[in-house]
C-alpha cells in the first residue's frame, strides 16, 4: 500500500470533488450526524467515488461534556450511525465507522461509550452489513480501545504523538477550488501498512 492524503470536512464536498482530486487528495472523511447539512449524503458519496476519492466516515458530536460518553449514548450513536451507513449510503461491509473519543485524559468514559457502540453494531442481523468500529482521539484512548478489543482501527487526533495508526490527523489547510474559492479542511494521512476502512459506493 502507499501513503494516501485525505481531507476531513464538516461540510458537503460534492461540488469540490474534482478540484480536490486534482490536488492529490485520495480520500475524504465525512460525517454521520444528526446535524442538518453536515452528514454525508448518497449523492455526495457517489460524486466523491466518481472523482476517484475514497470515503471515510466519523460520528463526532462537537463540544460535548465528558458525561456524554456513557454506554447508553454509545449504543444510541452506534445504532444511528449504523442505520445511516446501511440505509442511506449502502456503505460496504468491512469498511469502518469512526467514533470520536472524549478529549479528557482517562479512558473509563470512552470504554463505556465504545461498549455501547459495539453493542449496537452487534445487534445487526446475519444478513446485514458488518462494519468495523474505529476510534478517533488521543493516543491513550486509541491505544486503550484497541487493546480492549472495542475498536479495530484507530485515527490519531494529534500527529505530534508520533506513533503509527491507521489514520493520523495533520495540520489544517486551505485548498483552492473552483472560481477562486478556498475551502478550509483538516488534513489526514493513512498508514501504508494499516488499512483504514475507507470505501467507495456504487
Amino acid at each position: 500500500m502507499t501513503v494516501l492524503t485525505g481531507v476531513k470536512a464538516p461540510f458537503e464536498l460534492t461540488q469540490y470533488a474534482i478540484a480536490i482530486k486534482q490536488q492529490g487528495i485520495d480520500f475524504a472523511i465525512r460525517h454521520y450526524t444528526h446535524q442538518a447539512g453536515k452528514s454525508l449524503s448518497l449523492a455526495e458519496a457517489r460524486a466523491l467515488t466518481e472523482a476517484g476519492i475514497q470515503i471515510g466516515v466519523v460520528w463526532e458530536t462537537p463540544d460535548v461534556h465528558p458525561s456524554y460518553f456513557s454506554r447508553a449514548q454509545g449504543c444510541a450513536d452506534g445504532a444511528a450511525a449504523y442505520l445511516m451507513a446501511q440505509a442511506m449510503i449502502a456503505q460496504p461491509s468491512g469498511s469502518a465507522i469512526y467514533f470520536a473519543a472524549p478529549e479528557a485524559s482517562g479512558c473509563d468514559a470512552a470504554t463505556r461509550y465504545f461498549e455501547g457502540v459495539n453493542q449496537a453494531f452487534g445487534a445487526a442481523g446475519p444478513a446485514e452489513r458488518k462494519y468495523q468500529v474505529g476510534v478517533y482521539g488521543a493516543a491513550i484512548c486509541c491505544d486503550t480501545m484497541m487493546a480492549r478489543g472495542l475498536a479495530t482501527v484507530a485515527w490519531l487526533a494529534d500527529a505530534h504523538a508520533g506513533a503509527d495508526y491507521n489514520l493520523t490527523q495533520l495540520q489544517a489547510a486551505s485548498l483552492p477550488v473552483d472560481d477562486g474559492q478556498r475551502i478550509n479542511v483538516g488534513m489526514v494521512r493513512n498508514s501504508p501498512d494499516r488499512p483504514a476502512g475507507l470505501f467507495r459506493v456504487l
Side-chain angles (χ1 to χ4, degrees):
M1 295 178 63
T2 58
V3 175
L4 304 177
T5 300
V7 297
K8 176 178 182 277
F11 51 83
E12 186 177 341
L13 292 172
T14 303
Q15 62 182 324
Y16 309 125
I18 294 173
I20 62 175
K21 178 60 179 178
Q22 290 172 342
Q23 296 175 65
I25 299 303
D26 302 299
F27 66 93
I29 304 288
R30 293 288 287 110
H31 291 80
Y32 289 150
T33 175
H34 294 307
Q35 295 175 265
K38 188 175 180 181
S39 282
L40 175 71
S41 69
L42 179 56
E44 180 185 4
R46 286 174 172 163
L48 291 168
T49 296
E50 288 170 5
I53 296 173
Q54 295 185 75
I55 303 164
V57 286
V58 59
W59 182 279
E60 184 179 23
T61 304
D63 304 322
V64 294
H65 192 272
S67 62
Y68 175 91
F69 293 93
S70 65
R71 182 173 184 133
Q73 190 62 57
C75 194
D77 289 353
Y82 182 94
L83 182 62
M84 291 179 186
Q86 177 166 262
M88 295 174 57
I89 306 299
Q91 181 176 328
S93 289
S95 57
I97 304 174
Y98 289 84
F99 291 82
E103 295 181 4
S105 60
C107 293
D108 288 344
T111 295
R112 292 190 294 271
Y113 181 80
F114 277 84
E115 286 173 346
V117 171
N118 278 271
Q119 179 181 340
F121 277 36
E128 295 181 295
R129 293 182 177 91
K130 304 296 183 184
Y131 302 120
Q132 296 185 70
V133 174
V135 56
Y136 169 46
I140 185 172
C141 278
C142 287
D143 293 345
T144 301
M145 296 310 104
M146 294 285 282
R148 293 178 178 173
L150 296 173
T152 56
V153 288
W155 172 7
L156 183 66
D158 181 9
H160 298 297
D164 189 23
Y165 293 81
N166 301 83
L167 295 173
T168 301
Q169 189 76 27
L170 307 175
Q171 295 294 323
S174 178
L175 300 181
V177 290
D178 299 332
D179 301 324
Q181 298 181 68
R182 301 185 77 88
I183 56 171
N184 296 318
V185 293
M187 299 300 294
V188 187
R189 65 170 166 80
N190 76 321
S191 167
D193 303 319
R194 300 185 181 208
L198 305 174
F199 63 92
R200 295 183 172 90
V201 297
L202 298 177

